[in-house]
Short mmCIF file of all heavy atoms in Angstrom, two decimals:
data_model
loop_
_atom_site.label_atom_id
_atom_site.label_comp_id
_atom_site.label_asym_id
_atom_site.label_seq_id
_atom_site.Cartn_x
_atom_site.Cartn_y
_atom_site.Cartn_z
N ASN A 943 32.64 -10.62 -21.27
CA ASN A 943 33.84 -9.94 -21.77
C ASN A 943 35.09 -10.42 -21.03
O ASN A 943 36.14 -10.61 -21.65
CB ASN A 943 33.70 -8.43 -21.65
CG ASN A 943 32.75 -7.86 -22.68
OD1 ASN A 943 32.48 -8.49 -23.70
ND2 ASN A 943 32.23 -6.67 -22.43
N ASN A 944 34.98 -10.60 -19.73
CA ASN A 944 36.11 -11.10 -18.96
C ASN A 944 36.48 -12.52 -19.40
O ASN A 944 37.66 -12.85 -19.54
CB ASN A 944 35.81 -11.08 -17.46
CG ASN A 944 35.79 -9.69 -16.89
OD1 ASN A 944 36.33 -8.76 -17.48
ND2 ASN A 944 35.17 -9.53 -15.73
N MET A 945 35.46 -13.34 -19.63
CA MET A 945 35.71 -14.71 -20.07
C MET A 945 36.36 -14.72 -21.45
O MET A 945 37.30 -15.48 -21.72
CB MET A 945 34.40 -15.51 -20.10
CG MET A 945 34.59 -16.96 -20.47
SD MET A 945 35.67 -17.86 -19.35
CE MET A 945 34.56 -18.10 -17.99
N ILE A 946 35.88 -13.85 -22.35
CA ILE A 946 36.46 -13.75 -23.69
C ILE A 946 37.92 -13.33 -23.60
O ILE A 946 38.80 -13.90 -24.27
CB ILE A 946 35.64 -12.79 -24.58
CG1 ILE A 946 34.29 -13.42 -24.91
CG2 ILE A 946 36.41 -12.41 -25.84
CD1 ILE A 946 33.31 -12.46 -25.59
N ALA A 947 38.21 -12.34 -22.76
CA ALA A 947 39.60 -11.88 -22.59
C ALA A 947 40.46 -13.01 -22.05
O ALA A 947 41.59 -13.22 -22.51
CB ALA A 947 39.64 -10.68 -21.65
N HIS A 948 39.94 -13.75 -21.09
CA HIS A 948 40.68 -14.88 -20.51
C HIS A 948 40.95 -15.94 -21.57
O HIS A 948 42.07 -16.47 -21.68
CB HIS A 948 39.89 -15.47 -19.33
CG HIS A 948 40.52 -16.66 -18.72
ND1 HIS A 948 41.67 -16.59 -17.96
CD2 HIS A 948 40.18 -17.98 -18.76
CE1 HIS A 948 42.00 -17.81 -17.58
NE2 HIS A 948 41.11 -18.67 -18.04
N LEU A 949 39.94 -16.26 -22.38
CA LEU A 949 40.10 -17.26 -23.43
C LEU A 949 41.09 -16.79 -24.51
O LEU A 949 41.87 -17.59 -25.02
CB LEU A 949 38.75 -17.60 -24.06
CG LEU A 949 37.79 -18.36 -23.15
CD1 LEU A 949 36.42 -18.50 -23.82
CD2 LEU A 949 38.33 -19.73 -22.80
N LYS A 950 41.08 -15.49 -24.80
CA LYS A 950 42.05 -14.96 -25.76
C LYS A 950 43.46 -15.09 -25.21
O LYS A 950 44.39 -15.42 -25.95
CB LYS A 950 41.73 -13.49 -26.09
CG LYS A 950 40.58 -13.33 -27.04
CD LYS A 950 40.36 -11.87 -27.39
CE LYS A 950 39.21 -11.72 -28.37
NZ LYS A 950 38.99 -10.31 -28.75
N ASP A 951 43.63 -14.83 -23.91
CA ASP A 951 44.95 -15.00 -23.29
C ASP A 951 45.40 -16.45 -23.37
O ASP A 951 46.56 -16.74 -23.70
CB ASP A 951 44.93 -14.54 -21.82
CG ASP A 951 44.82 -13.03 -21.68
OD1 ASP A 951 45.07 -12.32 -22.68
OD2 ASP A 951 44.46 -12.57 -20.58
N GLU A 952 44.49 -17.36 -23.08
CA GLU A 952 44.83 -18.79 -23.15
C GLU A 952 45.17 -19.19 -24.58
O GLU A 952 46.11 -19.95 -24.82
CB GLU A 952 43.69 -19.64 -22.62
CG GLU A 952 43.58 -19.66 -21.12
CD GLU A 952 42.54 -20.64 -20.62
OE1 GLU A 952 42.05 -21.47 -21.41
OE2 GLU A 952 42.21 -20.57 -19.42
N GLN A 953 44.42 -18.66 -25.53
CA GLN A 953 44.68 -18.96 -26.94
C GLN A 953 46.06 -18.45 -27.34
O GLN A 953 46.82 -19.14 -28.02
CB GLN A 953 43.61 -18.31 -27.81
CG GLN A 953 43.74 -18.62 -29.29
CD GLN A 953 42.69 -17.92 -30.12
OE1 GLN A 953 42.14 -16.90 -29.71
NE2 GLN A 953 42.39 -18.46 -31.28
N PHE A 954 46.42 -17.25 -26.89
CA PHE A 954 47.74 -16.68 -27.18
C PHE A 954 48.83 -17.55 -26.58
O PHE A 954 49.84 -17.85 -27.23
CB PHE A 954 47.80 -15.25 -26.62
CG PHE A 954 49.10 -14.56 -26.89
CD1 PHE A 954 49.41 -14.09 -28.15
CD2 PHE A 954 50.02 -14.40 -25.87
CE1 PHE A 954 50.61 -13.45 -28.40
CE2 PHE A 954 51.23 -13.76 -26.10
CZ PHE A 954 51.52 -13.29 -27.36
N GLU A 955 48.63 -17.99 -25.33
CA GLU A 955 49.62 -18.86 -24.68
C GLU A 955 49.75 -20.18 -25.43
O GLU A 955 50.85 -20.71 -25.60
CB GLU A 955 49.23 -19.11 -23.23
CG GLU A 955 49.39 -17.89 -22.33
CD GLU A 955 48.87 -18.12 -20.92
OE1 GLU A 955 48.62 -19.28 -20.56
OE2 GLU A 955 48.72 -17.13 -20.19
N MET A 956 48.62 -20.73 -25.88
CA MET A 956 48.66 -22.00 -26.61
C MET A 956 49.39 -21.83 -27.94
O MET A 956 50.17 -22.70 -28.35
CB MET A 956 47.24 -22.52 -26.84
CG MET A 956 46.57 -22.99 -25.55
SD MET A 956 44.86 -23.44 -25.82
CE MET A 956 45.07 -25.12 -26.36
N ARG A 957 49.17 -20.71 -28.62
CA ARG A 957 49.88 -20.45 -29.88
C ARG A 957 51.39 -20.37 -29.63
O ARG A 957 52.17 -20.90 -30.40
CB ARG A 957 49.39 -19.16 -30.51
CG ARG A 957 48.06 -19.29 -31.20
CD ARG A 957 47.66 -18.00 -31.88
NE ARG A 957 46.34 -18.14 -32.48
CZ ARG A 957 45.57 -17.12 -32.80
NH1 ARG A 957 45.99 -15.89 -32.58
NH2 ARG A 957 44.40 -17.32 -33.34
N ASN A 958 51.76 -19.68 -28.55
CA ASN A 958 53.18 -19.59 -28.22
C ASN A 958 53.76 -20.97 -27.91
O ASN A 958 54.88 -21.29 -28.32
CB ASN A 958 53.41 -18.65 -27.03
CG ASN A 958 53.26 -17.19 -27.41
OD1 ASN A 958 53.36 -16.84 -28.59
ND2 ASN A 958 53.04 -16.35 -26.44
N GLU A 959 53.01 -21.78 -27.19
CA GLU A 959 53.47 -23.13 -26.86
C GLU A 959 53.62 -23.97 -28.13
O GLU A 959 54.60 -24.71 -28.29
CB GLU A 959 52.47 -23.80 -25.91
CG GLU A 959 52.86 -25.19 -25.46
CD GLU A 959 54.08 -25.22 -24.59
OE1 GLU A 959 54.38 -24.21 -23.93
OE2 GLU A 959 54.77 -26.26 -24.59
N ARG A 962 56.77 -22.86 -29.85
CA ARG A 962 57.95 -23.41 -29.18
C ARG A 962 58.12 -24.88 -29.52
O ARG A 962 59.24 -25.35 -29.78
CB ARG A 962 57.85 -23.21 -27.67
CG ARG A 962 58.15 -21.80 -27.20
CD ARG A 962 58.32 -21.73 -25.69
NE ARG A 962 57.11 -22.03 -24.97
CZ ARG A 962 56.19 -21.14 -24.62
NH1 ARG A 962 56.35 -19.87 -24.95
NH2 ARG A 962 55.11 -21.50 -23.97
#
Side-chain angles (χ1 to χ4, degrees):
N943 287 340
N944 288 341
M945 183 60 77
I946 290 171
H948 177 71
L949 291 173
K950 283 183 179 181
D951 289 343
E952 283 187 12
Q953 183 182 24
F954 181 75
E955 289 174 13
M956 291 174 85
R957 283 183 183 160
N958 286 340
E959 182 67 25
R962 283 192 294 271

